């Protein structure tokens, strides 16, 4: 059996950018973390952890869903990480 490769992970480019995009989504309306989680079909804990910095990355499917709900292109909010599994986060990702 052939194992499928692990999903591409995406690191949030900036917690501040995530918060800013939640204050004014693509529709011009604000969205709460609970509303974002429900609309993107991710846990509220994931959104909270991304906002606080406790979590920096999510699988591609979640990154795309969050970006879509916020009304932005994927790479406006996310930075792709290497696939090697070493946990590399690019330098442009805000700490």
């Amino acid at each position: 059996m052939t194992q499928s490769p692990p999903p591409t992970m995406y690191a949030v480019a900036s917690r501040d950018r995530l918060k800013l995009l939640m204050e004014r989504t693509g529709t011009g309306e604000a969205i709460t973390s609970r509303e974002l989680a429900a609309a993107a079909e991710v846990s509220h804990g994931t959104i909270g952890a991304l906002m606080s910095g406790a979590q920096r990355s999510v699988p591609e499917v979640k990154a795309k869903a969050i970006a879509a709900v916020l009304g932005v292109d994927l790479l406006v909010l996310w930075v792709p990480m290497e696939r090697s599994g070493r946990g590399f986060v690019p330098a442009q990702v805000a700490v």
Side-chain angles (χ1 to χ4, degrees):
M1 268 171 60
T2 304
Q3 281 188 326
S4 59
T8 300
M9 298 295 287
Y10 281 79
V12 69
S14 163
R15 296 182 326 209
D16 292 334
R17 185 175 301 162
L18 173 59
K19 292 173 187 175
L20 180 66
L21 291 171
M22 289 173 62
E23 290 174 8
R24 186 170 179 155
T25 65
T27 65
E29 300 293 321
I31 191 168
T32 68
S33 59
R34 287 195 185 279
E35 292 167 337
L36 175 57
E41 298 182 352
V42 300
S43 75
H44 179 250
T46 296
I47 301 299
L50 290 168
M51 292 175 68
S52 72
Q55 180 176 340
R56 295 177 63 184
S57 63
V58 296
E60 182 175 16
V61 66
K62 290 182 180 183
K64 285 181 175 181
I66 292 168
V69 170
L70 294 174
V72 297
D73 289 334
L74 179 68
L75 298 179
V76 167
L77 181 58
W78 302 98
V79 177
M81 298 173 64
E82 347 184 293
R83 289 182 172 234
S84 67
R86 293 184 294 179
F88 172 79
V89 177
Q92 66 265 34
V93 174
V95 177

